[in-house]
Amino acid sequence: MSWRSIQSAFWIAALVAATASTAQSPAPTPAPLGKMVDLGGYRIHLYCTGSGKQTVMLSPGGGDFSFAWYLVQQRLQNSARVCSYDRGGSAWSDPGPQPLTLRQEAYELELALKLSGEKGPYILAGHSIGGLVVRTFAEGYPDETSGIVLVDAPSPDGTMG
């Protein structure tokens, strides 16, 4: 066997060993920033920070998670209680009842806030599809809503796609 063949075999073996060791140790899943609220068989991730007389509830856009609001939440927490969440089946939240409609998500959000001891009425802020969620929340829970902020939210009368 030639020196070049031995050298090639060594590098192939080293590459296989490195690939195998990487494949055996997946990256650890990061811990949730907030708490997991049990809604009766499934859990929703709710992340609340800050303190103040008013609570601001941040609803993520489609395909986004609670941490999409992280910088906003950090800024607001100096003057208000601020909460963000992951909708069912997203980020740290477990999948819940399907299909996940706007009413179901608003119900889960209201229940998670209540079970975790957060106090309303809430200022609701929703980005994109989250805007439809907060509108649905306000419609279903008017006594728990003190205001709505919409960020690039579609009209409920608009068409999708």
Side-chain angles (χ1 to χ4, degrees), residues 65-153:
F65 314 111
S66 56
F67 44 87
W69 285 109
Y70 185 79
L71 295 176
V72 172
Q73 188 162 350
Q74 295 302 301
R75 217 37 209 266
L76 292 176
Q77 72 183 357
N78 295 326
S79 58
R81 181 77 170 153
V82 188
C83 298
S84 57
Y85 71 102
D86 297 315
R87 64 180 43 93
S90 296
W92 289 292
S93 292
D94 299 330
Q98 297 296 317
L100 182 57
T101 63
L102 294 171
R103 277 196 183 91
Q104 178 67 26
E105 186 171 339
Y107 165 76
E108 290 175 356
L109 178 55
E110 191 273 338
L111 184 58
L113 289 165
K114 184 185 301 180
L115 291 174
S116 65
E118 297 300 327
K119 305 289 183 222
Y122 309 101
I123 295 174
L124 307 168
H127 170 247
S128 188
I129 296 301
L132 294 176
V133 173
V134 300
R135 285 179 177 190
T136 304
F137 185 104
E139 181 182 287
Y141 309 98
D143 293 340
E144 295 182 47
T145 304
S146 63
I148 299 177
V149 177
L150 301 174
V151 181
D152 197 24

Side-chain angles (χ1 to χ4, degrees), residues 25-78:
S25 53
T29 303
L33 296 175
K35 60 183 164 183
M36 302 301 294
V37 182
D38 190 328
L39 301 184
Y42 64 102
R43 300 167 308 151
I44 294 293
H45 172 246
L46 184 66
Y47 178 51
C48 298
T49 59
S51 61
K53 293 180 181 177
Q54 189 66 56
T55 301
V56 178
M57 183 64 242
L58 305 169
S59 183
D64 281 338
F65 314 111
S66 56
F67 44 87
W69 285 109
Y70 185 79
L71 295 176
V72 172
Q73 188 162 350
Q74 295 302 301
R75 217 37 209 266
L76 292 176
Q77 72 183 357
N78 295 326

